[in-house]
Amino acid sequence: MAGVLFNIAQGILGNLSPLAFKEINQLWGFKDELKKLKGTVFTIQAVLLDAEEQQVGSHAVRNWLEKLEDAMYDADDLLDDFSIEALRREIMTRDKTAKEVCIFFSKSNQLLYALKMGHKIKVIRKRLDAINADAMNFNLKLRTKETPVMNKKRDNTHSFVQAEAIIGRECDKKAVISHLMDSSVKENVSILPIVGIGGLGKTTLAQLIFTSKEIEKHFELKMWVCVSDNFDVKIIVEKILESATNKKTKKLAMNTLVKELRKNIDEKKFLLVLDDVWSEDINQWLKLKELLMGGARGSKILVTTRSEKVANITHTIKPHLLSGLNEPASWFLFKQTAFEKGQEPKNSIIVESGREIVKKCAGVPLAIRTMGSLLYSKTSETEWLTFKNNELPKITQKENDILPTLKLSYDYLPSHLKYCFAFCSLFPKDYKIDISTLIKLWIAHGFVKSSDDQNQCLEDVGNEYFMDLLLRSFFQEAKMDEFGNVIECKMHDLMHDLATSVAGSWITTLDDKKRNIDEKARHVSVAYGINISRGVPTLLCKANRMRTFLCFGLSVEDNIDCDSTFSSSKFLRVLDLHHDFTVYSTFDSLPNLSSIGKLKHLRYLDLSGNKIMKKLPDSITNLQNLQTLRLSNYIVVAVVYKN
């Protein structure tokens, strides 16, 4: 949380830079109040890094940070209002007639605005002063600079490729392939689970097997489906069909889907991978299993799961238990990520420290890789000993739980990367994140700061942020274009859990399990298949400080009135109402957006998937801060960044 607040504080101080300060003061004259506000924010920012460390063991510090979070967001919104108003004055002066400008800038009009905003500045400044005074109770230390981290550049641009894919899993690969190719089984369709704790590499092992030459030759049809938390039989059948046909399925009734499924898989010798199964509901599993039993003799279903109960429910072949890497394999993987070119250093103290750190990772590849990436920048004996003696003991590792290890790597991130990473908890698990879109979302929220290099645009800086997180193993399964640029990635489930944990109440995702929004939520997303026209608009009215609304594919039944739903969300920076071609068919109608021009903070608007090119409301021209407007799934119609 403090990492997030540190970033907000930087944004506020940026809005109170000498140039912005001068402009606001010339227009309305809030010199004294703005100076006091700037001083308070600067003082608070100086203790945030220490507060982040203390909140782990102090409920009082955690509550203080929660109060501060609300106030800082409000201060940021208020200063953004000033910037918008200043820009509006500039535009009106330039584009309107003299009469209109005269009316708009009349003394009474400006006096009213100055009085109202002056009062708001005073209120928020006093509120922050009171919170700042409370900080004295916690003896927080002043730390105006973050601990330098990861300033050493990797010379291997492809070092983010999952090294554990070829380390220590050859025996597991051979054993599973042997079972899958066994023709002596009695059932037409047999089921083999791979079971193990999170981060062991179950999905990576399954991918190795799925793409092997032996498997390619042995099966007539191969299909891969990510199941994850939501075990919905209809959705899984849709995904199986998409994988079998390489075509996106239309929204069909269940009986039609079943006919299509049987037409495509019955009498064929297939391999189906059901990746990351969580549901322990045997009835749901039996419903799905019944639909898959028409395959030719020798067909196999490979299930990956963390749950032994799931393995016991699903298996017809004895489950393959995946254990941690042995000591030599663990050390080899650690070397690949912690040392330049994977070369073990000559310094015996560093090697000894490294081996003790590896032991803490308990053979879990994700933990080993993450810790190695964290330590890559450390080259001196002192740095390694300090980390081993001071930081490593802070990990209170529980059996089968590597989140504390991953949390340590998060703690070492610079504040701007903490913010960017936590924001990614808005995406569903197993979601293929488009990097270009992700960077535009970061920019829309001001997470990406201009660099000293005048030739470097914000998108280039944002891409550096992403690559930094990728190299630290916060993302995985990177997909590159023909030029070697990363265009797509995923987050490991455990990394997603970590992002959700550190985001706290300021991010909310609505899905089948969660149908409530915290009033403090600033960023909200709606998962696949949730009909947002039923109940969601009422919930959104509670989150009237919301800055982000992401919808991952509107359904056919959705008929959302944006005017009423988002009327109270006047601080929205990002509004995504796209219809997802990959999930549903295209739409002829556009949700009611007649008053969208009132969302003056809006930077990112996605209306793709709708046939709306000639139906945009006139008020959209009032969105003077709009940076990105998407009107098709493949074209960004306008991208304008105002620095």
mmCIF file of all heavy atoms in Angstrom, residues 109 111 130 146 205 217 372-373 394 409 457 464 488 535 571 579 642:
data_model
loop_
_atom_site.group_PDB
_atom_site.id
_atom_site.type_symbol
_atom_site.label_atom_id
_atom_site.label_comp_id
_atom_site.label_asym_id
_atom_site.label_seq_id
_atom_site.Cartn_x
_atom_site.Cartn_y
_atom_site.Cartn_z
ATOM 1 N N ASN A 109 -18.250 34.468 -12.291
ATOM 2 C CA ASN A 109 -17.995 33.056 -12.589
ATOM 3 C C ASN A 109 -16.677 32.600 -11.962
ATOM 4 O O ASN A 109 -16.603 31.566 -11.300
ATOM 5 C CB ASN A 109 -17.959 32.865 -14.106
ATOM 6 C CG ASN A 109 -18.084 31.397 -14.494
ATOM 7 O OD1 ASN A 109 -18.096 30.528 -13.641
ATOM 8 N ND2 ASN A 109 -18.171 31.143 -15.782
ATOM 9 N N LEU A 111 -14.901 34.105 -9.582
ATOM 10 C CA LEU A 111 -14.910 34.269 -8.131
ATOM 11 C C LEU A 111 -15.583 33.079 -7.460
ATOM 12 O O LEU A 111 -15.096 32.560 -6.448
ATOM 13 C CB LEU A 111 -15.630 35.563 -7.752
ATOM 14 C CG LEU A 111 -15.714 35.864 -6.251
ATOM 15 C CD1 LEU A 111 -14.308 36.000 -5.653
ATOM 16 C CD2 LEU A 111 -16.519 37.134 -5.996
ATOM 17 N N ALA A 130 -3.766 16.571 9.744
ATOM 18 C CA ALA A 130 -4.177 15.761 10.888
ATOM 19 C C ALA A 130 -3.608 14.344 10.790
ATOM 20 O O ALA A 130 -3.134 13.775 11.792
ATOM 21 C CB ALA A 130 -5.703 15.711 10.959
ATOM 22 N N GLU A 146 14.431 5.803 -2.068
ATOM 23 C CA GLU A 146 14.264 4.363 -1.988
ATOM 24 C C GLU A 146 15.621 3.676 -2.049
ATOM 25 O O GLU A 146 16.595 4.219 -2.571
ATOM 26 C CB GLU A 146 13.404 3.855 -3.147
ATOM 27 C CG GLU A 146 12.004 4.398 -3.118
ATOM 28 C CD GLU A 146 11.205 3.863 -4.285
ATOM 29 O OE1 GLU A 146 10.603 2.785 -4.127
ATOM 30 O OE2 GLU A 146 11.173 4.510 -5.331
ATOM 31 N N LEU A 205 5.453 -28.089 -17.165
ATOM 32 C CA LEU A 205 5.652 -29.502 -17.486
ATOM 33 C C LEU A 205 4.620 -29.973 -18.506
ATOM 34 O O LEU A 205 4.960 -30.658 -19.487
ATOM 35 C CB LEU A 205 5.572 -30.347 -16.213
ATOM 36 C CG LEU A 205 5.644 -31.869 -16.401
ATOM 37 C CD1 LEU A 205 6.974 -32.263 -17.046
ATOM 38 C CD2 LEU A 205 5.451 -32.590 -15.060
ATOM 39 N N LYS A 217 2.862 -37.033 -32.594
ATOM 40 C CA LYS A 217 2.626 -38.164 -33.490
ATOM 41 C C LYS A 217 1.557 -39.122 -32.955
ATOM 42 O O LYS A 217 0.883 -39.799 -33.734
ATOM 43 C CB LYS A 217 3.936 -38.937 -33.685
ATOM 44 C CG LYS A 217 5.024 -38.154 -34.406
ATOM 45 C CD LYS A 217 6.316 -38.971 -34.454
ATOM 46 C CE LYS A 217 7.436 -38.181 -35.137
ATOM 47 N NZ LYS A 217 8.724 -38.937 -35.126
ATOM 48 N N GLY A 372 16.300 -15.252 -7.512
ATOM 49 C CA GLY A 372 17.483 -15.041 -8.334
ATOM 50 C C GLY A 372 17.425 -13.720 -9.077
ATOM 51 O O GLY A 372 18.413 -12.977 -9.139
ATOM 52 N N SER A 373 16.250 -13.402 -9.632
ATOM 53 C CA SER A 373 16.077 -12.130 -10.337
ATOM 54 C C SER A 373 16.260 -10.951 -9.397
ATOM 55 O O SER A 373 16.832 -9.923 -9.759
ATOM 56 C CB SER A 373 14.683 -12.072 -10.971
ATOM 57 O OG SER A 373 14.522 -13.084 -11.933
ATOM 58 N N LYS A 394 13.242 -12.583 7.489
ATOM 59 C CA LYS A 394 11.894 -12.000 7.542
ATOM 60 C C LYS A 394 10.843 -12.897 6.889
ATOM 61 O O LYS A 394 9.648 -12.722 7.090
ATOM 62 C CB LYS A 394 11.883 -10.636 6.845
ATOM 63 C CG LYS A 394 12.721 -9.570 7.530
ATOM 64 C CD LYS A 394 12.692 -8.266 6.751
ATOM 65 C CE LYS A 394 13.577 -7.214 7.394
ATOM 66 N NZ LYS A 394 13.603 -5.952 6.605
ATOM 67 N N SER A 409 10.265 -10.218 -2.837
ATOM 68 C CA SER A 409 10.692 -9.666 -4.124
ATOM 69 C C SER A 409 9.854 -8.439 -4.485
ATOM 70 O O SER A 409 10.359 -7.494 -5.088
ATOM 71 C CB SER A 409 10.589 -10.725 -5.221
ATOM 72 O OG SER A 409 9.246 -11.095 -5.456
ATOM 73 N N CYS A 457 9.509 8.655 -25.571
ATOM 74 C CA CYS A 457 8.096 8.931 -25.318
ATOM 75 C C CYS A 457 7.612 8.100 -24.131
ATOM 76 O O CYS A 457 8.293 7.168 -23.674
ATOM 77 C CB CYS A 457 7.257 8.633 -26.561
ATOM 78 S SG CYS A 457 7.202 6.888 -27.004
ATOM 79 N N GLU A 464 9.734 -0.003 -20.727
ATOM 80 C CA GLU A 464 10.857 -0.290 -19.824
ATOM 81 C C GLU A 464 10.335 -0.793 -18.473
ATOM 82 O O GLU A 464 10.904 -1.711 -17.884
ATOM 83 C CB GLU A 464 11.714 0.962 -19.627
ATOM 84 C CG GLU A 464 12.591 1.307 -20.818
ATOM 85 C CD GLU A 464 13.535 2.469 -20.525
ATOM 86 O OE1 GLU A 464 13.501 3.003 -19.397
ATOM 87 O OE2 GLU A 464 14.316 2.830 -21.421
ATOM 88 N N GLU A 488 2.722 -9.885 -25.630
ATOM 89 C CA GLU A 488 1.691 -10.536 -24.822
ATOM 90 C C GLU A 488 2.353 -11.317 -23.698
ATOM 91 O O GLU A 488 3.487 -11.791 -23.831
ATOM 92 C CB GLU A 488 0.892 -11.471 -25.730
ATOM 93 C CG GLU A 488 -0.383 -12.026 -25.140
ATOM 94 C CD GLU A 488 -1.113 -12.894 -26.160
ATOM 95 O OE1 GLU A 488 -1.895 -12.331 -26.960
ATOM 96 O OE2 GLU A 488 -0.887 -14.117 -26.187
ATOM 97 N N GLY A 535 -27.618 -5.815 -11.387
ATOM 98 C CA GLY A 535 -27.070 -5.581 -10.055
ATOM 99 C C GLY A 535 -25.784 -4.783 -10.026
ATOM 100 O O GLY A 535 -25.542 -4.046 -9.075
ATOM 101 N N PHE A 571 -14.658 10.767 -11.496
ATOM 102 C CA PHE A 571 -13.193 10.746 -11.502
ATOM 103 C C PHE A 571 -12.622 9.634 -12.385
ATOM 104 O O PHE A 571 -11.434 9.338 -12.309
ATOM 105 C CB PHE A 571 -12.656 10.599 -10.076
ATOM 106 C CG PHE A 571 -13.021 11.757 -9.191
ATOM 107 C CD1 PHE A 571 -13.999 11.624 -8.224
ATOM 108 C CD2 PHE A 571 -12.404 12.990 -9.346
ATOM 109 C CE1 PHE A 571 -14.351 12.693 -7.415
ATOM 110 C CE2 PHE A 571 -12.749 14.063 -8.545
ATOM 111 C CZ PHE A 571 -13.730 13.913 -7.577
ATOM 112 N N HIS A 579 -16.971 -4.930 -26.500
ATOM 113 C CA HIS A 579 -17.563 -6.254 -26.693
ATOM 114 C C HIS A 579 -16.468 -7.141 -27.241
ATOM 115 O O HIS A 579 -15.875 -6.843 -28.273
ATOM 116 C CB HIS A 579 -18.735 -6.200 -27.676
ATOM 117 C CG HIS A 579 -19.927 -5.488 -27.119
ATOM 118 N ND1 HIS A 579 -20.624 -5.954 -26.031
ATOM 119 C CD2 HIS A 579 -20.542 -4.343 -27.509
ATOM 120 C CE1 HIS A 579 -21.623 -5.116 -25.777
ATOM 121 N NE2 HIS A 579 -21.593 -4.134 -26.649
ATOM 122 N N LYS A 642 -0.758 14.199 -23.204
ATOM 123 C CA LYS A 642 -0.463 15.572 -22.820
ATOM 124 C C LYS A 642 0.432 15.530 -21.605
ATOM 125 O O LYS A 642 0.034 15.070 -20.550
ATOM 126 C CB LYS A 642 -1.765 16.331 -22.504
ATOM 127 C CG LYS A 642 -2.759 16.335 -23.665
ATOM 128 C CD LYS A 642 -4.019 17.064 -23.252
ATOM 129 C CE LYS A 642 -5.048 17.071 -24.367
ATOM 130 N NZ LYS A 642 -5.681 15.780 -24.588
#
